[in-house]
Amino acid sequence: MQDAIVELAGARKVFASPEGGEVKALDNIYLDVRRNEFLTLLGPSGCGKTTLLQSIGGFVRLDAGTISIDGADMTRVPPHLRPVNTVFQNYALFPHMSVEQNVGYALEVRGIPARERREKVGAALVMVGLGGMEKRRPNQLSGGQQQRVALARAIVARPKLLLLDEPLSALDRGLRHSMQIELKNLQNELGISFVFVTHDKEEALTMSDRIAVLKHGRIQQIAAPREIYDRPANPFVASFIGVSNMFEGSIDSGSLVMDRGETLQLGRTLQDCKGRATAVIRPEQFSLSFEQDTRAGIDVTIDQVIFVGAGFELYARTRGGRELVVSAPASARDDVARAESDRRARLIYVPANIHLMPGEGGSQ
Amino acid sequence: MIASTRDRMQLGLLLGPATVFLAVFFLIPLAIMVVTSFLAPGLYGGVEWEFYPHNFGRIFGFADPAFEEFDPVYLEIFLRSVRIAVLTVIATLLVCYPAAFCISMMPGKWKSFCLFLIALPFFTSLIVRLFVWVLILRQSGPVNGVLLALGLIDQPLDLIYTEGAIILGMVYIFIPFMFMPIYASVEKLDWSLIRASQDLGAGPIRTFVRVILPLTAPGIIGGSLIVFIPALGNFIVPAILGGAKVMMLGNLIEQQFLSARNWPFGSALAMMVMSVMLVTMMGFVFVSGRRRSSMASLSGGQRGAQ
Ligand SMILES: Nc1ncnc2c1ncn2[C@@H]1O[C@H](COP(=O)(O)OP(=O)(O)O)[C@@H](O)[C@H]1O
Ligand SMILES: [Mg+2]
């Protein structure tokens, strides 16, 4: 592919687990990172995100498969010869060097003369908002500042690709949010591809051009955030990416028949499907109504109503005992009040908007 | 900061025992040695109470003309001692540094086993262990035996009673002392820093020089001091493996005190050993102190600014 900066083909990595078995950290991974793309690797802890990132950086040797960066085969190339830099999870700043020496390290290695080095280091520090901190030592910086130094150090030599391993996980919430935006801006400004690892779905949805969802060393789905959110490829992705109402059952003449006898009407495009399937209805895809409404809907009892500022979250239960989450906008205040006092409501959905996935099981 | 009288009394009581101990068992003997080194030796042992700088003169070339001529042998012994101590430091360093890395990379069980092996020599007497080296190195020993049997040599080699034999023995006994501080600093080494260095484009050599070496330097410095100082004054190893042929300062001092009964000259020699040690120590303290104080002043400045 012409516009791919990184191509992984058939990458596999197996570790021996301490219990004596094997862990497939990477299981037949095919992945393209496009030029100037913000790609996020998302998945639960232990799914192989770090291993995947480090195999691009060169710290993990693949058992099988190939990796090429910018058109050149890099499968057996050691880390220091790859045009890639990493922001490590614990920052890994050199404690015996000043901020300036840390950031200038990649330039020093490349033999850039001291004066030019100082200029570039200064510029990189300004870029991450740390101008004037050149002489400090890493242990004299706060966590957020260390994070920025690690970032400046990784971008100063303009790699073709920046790898970031959960760089924001150690920061507190407010700082994390502003760093998310800054990182995204930085990526636009630099015009290089970022491969970003996180286990935080909101972080992934906010920042990414594309998200690759991993589980047990396999890529479950790789797509743009909205695509992943609206049309998850399987129940795992659906549940990992956000609160979802999932309905398992078998398709029978245009509706999904669930085990407890409840049914969901499906849109016309799904009429011809067969077999077992899981349907997803997002909390915001329901609209709140009451018994006399004849549109497609589910009758529920309301367990709890929570005010979340921008709207309401309703915890509901079907006659068959299935628990559902509904979010209602602030404008639906009157309906919410009525549902809360009646303790019952009818959840209206649009059959054509139901997303259907093959297979079963919504749990991770 | 003015301490109250009470605080000062407490401090005095707490420091008192240690101060008395050091005064009695360290400073007073030291003072006796300093004074003795400037006194004249008595004819049959003992000292004459007169100022007599020629003890140092015998070493440095202004010997008492009434008694004897200047003999450079003492300077030779002094230089040899320094040379042997330095070579011992270098050799133990070359052995222990890679070994510390190997052992720190081992899985837990093997690691403790290896550490146990390194401490094992302390369970037997030093003298016995050194005499075993005599058996190994002597003309009828196994080393010469093997070389003769292989036809590599016709005559047994003089392996023992050489400077080489002394260095071998020194390295043998000082390896645990060098190993421990180095191992401690290698264990503390954060491997992600090595990855970071590689990631930023540094090859193995630069990573070693710029990251691994500076971060393990405290162990190297500590180990070198702990080996150099006792190696310089050591007299057991040269006594056993150097015989009468290769002497070190320690043997010379022992000889002056016990056989020649020239206490003032022995004291002068001991003073020299001590001054070399002091200079070395202060050099190291100065170097590491400057590193630390530059960092401390910076962090102090930051604390003030916040
Ligand atoms: N060096 C290693 N030795 C053995 N197992 C490993 C090693 N590195 C990772 N693993 C295993 O591989 C799996 C994936 O690990 P990792 O890539 O670190 O996951 P993540 O970063 O997504 O949390 C985990 O089950 C982990 O235990
Ligand atoms: Mg990880």
Side-chain angles (χ1 to χ4, degrees):
Chain A
M1 198 197 289
Q2 189 51 48
D3 63 349
I5 182 86
V6 177
E7 289 173 73
L8 271 118
R12 287 176 195 277
K13 180 74 195 180
V14 177
F15 288 114
S17 76
E19 295 78 34
E22 289 188 336
V23 183
K24 286 183 180 171
L26 298 180
D27 191 0
N28 200 23
I29 298 266
Y30 286 83
L31 177 71
D32 288 333
V33 183
R34 298 175 187 157
R35 275 177 209 282
N36 198 10
E37 172 179 51
F38 198 117
L39 177 74
T40 297
L41 306 177
L42 175 69
S45 173
C47 71
K49 305 181 295 286
T50 298
T51 309
L52 180 52
L53 203 72
Q54 293 195 341
S55 64
I56 300 176
F59 296 105
V60 167
R61 225 176 143 141
L62 296 178
D63 293 333
T66 59
I67 172 167
S68 67
I69 300 175
D70 204 19
D73 180 34
M74 291 275 163
T75 314
R76 295 269 171 270
V77 175
H80 67 279
L81 300 178
R82 298 194 183 196
V84 166
N85 285 152
T86 308
V87 177
F88 289 89
Q89 192 161 1
N90 63 353
Y91 313 145
L93 298 177
F94 304 123
H96 58 297
M97 296 186 197
S98 67
V99 165
E100 183 172 23
Q101 288 169 319
N102 262 286
V103 176
Y105 192 76
L107 302 174
E108 178 196 319
V109 167
R110 284 164 181 73
I112 310 258
R115 242 199 51 191
E116 194 183 339
R117 205 157 70 204
R118 207 168 305 132
E119 275 167 26
K120 289 190 169 179
V121 168
L125 283 175
V126 167
M127 210 166 206
V128 298
L130 277 187
M133 299 255 187
E134 280 86 345
K135 296 286 169 265
R136 296 242 186 134
R137 297 257 169 184
N139 63 1
Q140 298 160 355
L141 299 174
S142 71
Q145 289 170 330
Q146 291 181 14
Q147 160 74 67
R148 286 158 197 264
V149 173
L151 196 58
R153 185 177 70 173
I155 61 173
V156 75
R158 294 300 143 101
K160 290 178 176 167
L161 182 72
L162 190 67
L163 307 175
L164 304 101
D165 194 352
E166 308 211 18
L168 308 182
S169 60
L171 305 181
D172 60 59
R173 213 184 143 81
L175 192 55
R176 196 158 76 208
H177 190 70
S178 63
M179 276 304 283
Q180 287 172 4
I181 296 164
E182 273 182 54
L183 266 182
K184 183 73 189 136
N185 291 340
L186 190 68
Q187 190 253 333
N188 282 333
E189 208 173 319
L190 291 169
I192 59 178
S193 305
F194 279 29
V195 178
F196 180 91
V197 164
T198 183
H199 60 255
D200 180 336
K201 60 168 202 296
E202 274 156 36
E203 203 163 276
L205 291 171
T206 336
M207 302 171 75
S208 321
D209 294 322
R210 284 193 306 159
I211 298 174
V213 182
L214 275 92
K215 178 195 181 188
H216 297 328
R218 285 171 181 269
I219 293 185
Q220 303 292 313
Q221 184 173 15
I222 174 159
R226 283 182 201 180
E227 171 85 6
I228 293 237
Y229 189 79
D230 291 337
R231 278 189 288 281
N234 58 40
F236 170 77
V237 176
S239 66
F240 195 78
I241 208 73
V243 189
S244 296
N245 302 306
M246 278 191 253
F247 305 86
E248 302 121 58
S250 42
I251 304 171
D252 185 22
S253 57
S255 33
L256 186 74
V257 181
M258 282 159 278
D259 300 336
R260 293 168 186 143
E262 300 165 305
T263 59
L264 270 188
Q265 287 183 37
L266 299 179
R268 207 162 286 141
T269 49
L270 299 174
Q271 302 270 317
D272 299 330
C273 299
K274 284 254 171 325
R276 305 281 300 171
T278 304
V280 181
I281 304 181
R282 295 279 173 196
E284 66 275 12
Q285 284 177 322
F286 283 118
S287 54
L288 211 53
S289 184
F290 300 94
E291 261 161 332
Q292 57 278 19
D293 200 321
T294 54
R295 290 176 290 174
I298 308 169
D299 290 316
V300 293
T301 54
I302 303 292
D303 285 344
Q304 203 176 6
V305 176
I306 293 175
F307 177 60
V308 290
F312 300 89
E313 248 170 33
L314 290 83
Y315 291 85
R317 192 186 298 272
T318 65
R319 295 217 181 94
R322 181 184 299 277
E323 290 176 7
L324 299 177
V325 183
V326 182
S327 65
S331 57
R333 187 176 298 130
D334 296 340
D335 286 341
V336 172
R338 182 174 159 197
E340 194 173 9
S341 65
D342 286 3
R343 304 236 130 247
R344 75 173 96 235
R346 186 173 169 84
L347 305 178
I348 305 299
Y349 58 86
V350 182
N353 289 350
I354 290 181
H355 174 64
L356 208 58
M357 304 170 296
E360 305 216 16
S363 58
Q364 297 190 8
Chain B
M1 219 187 298
I2 300 162
S4 72
T5 330
R6 209 188 120 95
D7 282 348
R8 237 178 287 164
M9 257 175 62
Q10 276 183 348
L11 200 67
L13 281 177
L14 288 171
L15 286 179
T19 315
V20 170
F21 184 88
L22 279 180
V24 172
F25 292 103
F26 178 68
L27 285 181
I28 293 176
L30 186 67
I32 294 175
M33 195 179 85
V34 173
V35 171
T36 312
S37 72
F38 286 104
L39 296 178
L43 220 46
Y44 307 102
V47 295
E48 304 281 337
W49 279 92
E50 56 177 288
F51 179 70
Y52 185 77
H54 301 290
N55 292 319
F56 291 97
R58 268 177 91 179
I59 307 170
F60 291 114
F62 49 98
D64 188 356
F67 250 129
E68 60 198 343
E69 294 186 347
F70 166 63
D71 189 345
V73 70
Y74 302 118
L75 265 185
E76 270 167 36
I77 292 176
F78 174 73
L79 290 179
R80 177 190 300 142
S81 301
V82 173
R83 184 172 63 235
I84 288 178
V86 167
L87 288 175
T88 302
V89 167
I90 293 173
T92 48
L93 199 56
L94 289 180
V95 173
C96 293
Y97 199 65
F101 276 89
C102 290
I103 292 177
S104 86
M105 278 186 269
M106 284 180 179
K109 218 167 44 182
W110 285 103
K111 200 186 275 190
S112 2
F113 180 65
C114 285
L115 293 178
F116 169 72
L117 284 186
I118 284 175
L120 199 59
F122 292 117
F123 287 75
T124 20
S125 150
L126 177 66
I127 310 283
V128 172
R129 283 185 285 136
L130 285 174
F131 269 114
V132 171
W133 277 108
V134 174
L135 298 184
I136 294 172
L137 295 177
R138 66 181 172 177
Q139 297 217 329
S140 57
V143 175
N144 273 316
V146 168
L147 290 176
L148 281 171
L150 288 174
L152 291 171
I153 50 172
D154 303 329
Q155 293 281 315
L157 296 175
D158 281 327
L159 295 174
I160 203 168
Y161 308 133
T162 59
E163 214 175 292
I166 295 181
I167 293 175
L168 184 71
M170 290 272 205
V171 169
Y172 170 70
I173 65 171
F174 283 119
I175 273 180
F177 295 90
M178 180 61 94
F179 182 84
M180 286 306 166
I182 289 187
Y183 180 74
S185 70
V186 168
E187 263 300 274
K188 268 199 316 201
L189 190 63
D190 180 357
W191 286 82
S192 71
L193 298 176
I194 294 164
R195 288 187 165 192
S197 170
Q198 290 176 294
D199 183 77
L200 293 165
I205 294 173
R206 188 185 294 266
T207 299
F208 179 76
V209 173
R210 292 285 277 132
V211 178
I212 299 176
L213 205 53
L215 290 176
T216 50
I220 296 176
I221 291 175
S224 302
L225 266 183
I226 285 183
V227 171
F228 180 78
I229 290 176
L232 187 66
N234 192 293
F235 75 95
I236 301 177
V237 178
I240 295 175
L241 293 174
K245 276 202 256 170
V246 192
M247 220 186 225
M248 283 177 70
L249 275 173
N251 311 97
L252 189 59
I253 294 170
E254 185 217 4
Q255 199 188 58
Q256 290 306 317
F257 275 97
L258 299 183
S259 322
R261 304 197 18 97
N262 187 342
W263 286 29
F265 186 50
S267 299
L269 288 166
M271 288 273 294
M272 283 200 42
V273 175
M274 217 177 62
S275 49
V276 172
M277 288 174 184
L278 269 179
V279 167
T280 322
M281 278 263 273
M282 273 155 58
F284 279 125
V285 167
F286 178 72
V287 168
S288 53
R290 209 178 42 180
R291 276 173 52 164
R292 211 167 307 135
S293 75
S294 71
M295 285 174 73
S297 71
L298 273 169
S299 65
Q302 189 209 18
R303 220 170 293 132
Q306 280 178 350

